[in-house]
Amino acid sequence: MAAPSAQAQHGHAAHVHGQARLELGWDVGPAGGQLSLALEAPLESLLGFEHAPRTAAQRQAAQALLGRLRTAQGLWTLPAEADCRLAQAQVQAPVLEAAPAPGAATPDADGHAELQAQWRYDCARPAALTGLQLHLQGQFAPLRRLEVQAAVPGGQFRRVLGRQDRGELRWGR
Ligand SMILES: [Zn+2]
């Protein structure tokens, strides 16, 4: 198979252990606001391994990771005044699933595997969502560098967060 071109890689995070990428979008419409977050990471960056779990401890770690991502518990804090509800959460990590569906992505021949997750929040008082606090960057031992790409009313910005960085993102007045 030919190596993917630079073009094909556009918008797709490189597979670098210890790193992850978070895309954040914020749209305000007549009925409220929708906040979307999408995470793309080598499994190694979140879990410390990227093969199917082999031991009870690894199975437990994998289930804990999936559960935590599905609930988004502790990953970020949204302003309470914005009244946001988690409307949708999806996590895809085929290598962690006990019986992958036929045709599901398998790890690369060299054993690398990724996790992708998406969340959507519906916010009843969007005017109050002028930023958020990210905690994701400090939650996973192997994760050293989180790249954040945000597209919000008023523009786009990019931030790179290390484990110790305060993840305060602001875009409102
Ligand atoms: Zn890898």
Side-chain angles (χ1 to χ4, degrees):
M1 199 164 113
S5 67
Q7 190 82 23
Q9 296 251 326
H10 183 75
H12 196 76
H15 185 100
V16 181
H17 290 182
Q19 302 191 8
R21 180 181 153 109
L22 183 72
E23 286 186 23
L24 186 154
W26 173 228
D27 288 309
V28 181
Q34 285 200 337
L35 176 70
S36 58
L37 300 113
L39 177 70
E40 200 175 310
L43 264 183
E44 162 73 34
S45 297
L46 305 176
L47 206 49
F49 61 90
E50 36 187 32
H51 51 74
R54 291 170 188 148
T55 65
Q58 288 177 349
R59 270 190 293 278
Q60 198 169 31
Q63 287 311 307
L65 172 70
L66 295 175
R68 192 173 188 184
L69 292 176
R70 285 182 183 126
T71 57
Q73 198 75 45
L75 303 182
W76 39 72
T77 306
L78 309 180
E81 317 81 69
D83 196 9
C84 299
R85 303 267 175 261
L86 183 59
Q88 204 180 331
Q90 287 185 325
V91 183
Q92 297 102 35
V95 78
L96 298 184
E97 285 158 25
T106 49
D108 295 352
D110 55 3
H112 292 288
E114 309 248 338
L115 178 146
Q116 295 185 324
Q118 295 91 31
W119 300 264
R120 199 194 81 221
Y121 290 84
D122 292 334
C123 302
R125 287 195 289 279
L129 196 84
T130 55
L132 60 87
Q133 186 78 38
L134 277 182
H135 311 295
L136 188 62
Q137 72 279 9
Q139 297 290 310
F140 305 96
L143 182 61
R144 296 186 307 272
R145 182 181 187 275
L146 177 68
E147 181 185 339
V148 182
Q149 289 273 0
V152 297
Q156 301 191 355
F157 63 88
R158 177 177 175 274
R159 290 274 298 276
V160 175
L161 300 173
R163 286 183 56 76
Q164 309 296 333
D165 290 331
R166 293 191 64 224
E168 192 164 8
L169 306 180
R170 290 268 161 260
W171 55 79
R173 300 144 279 276

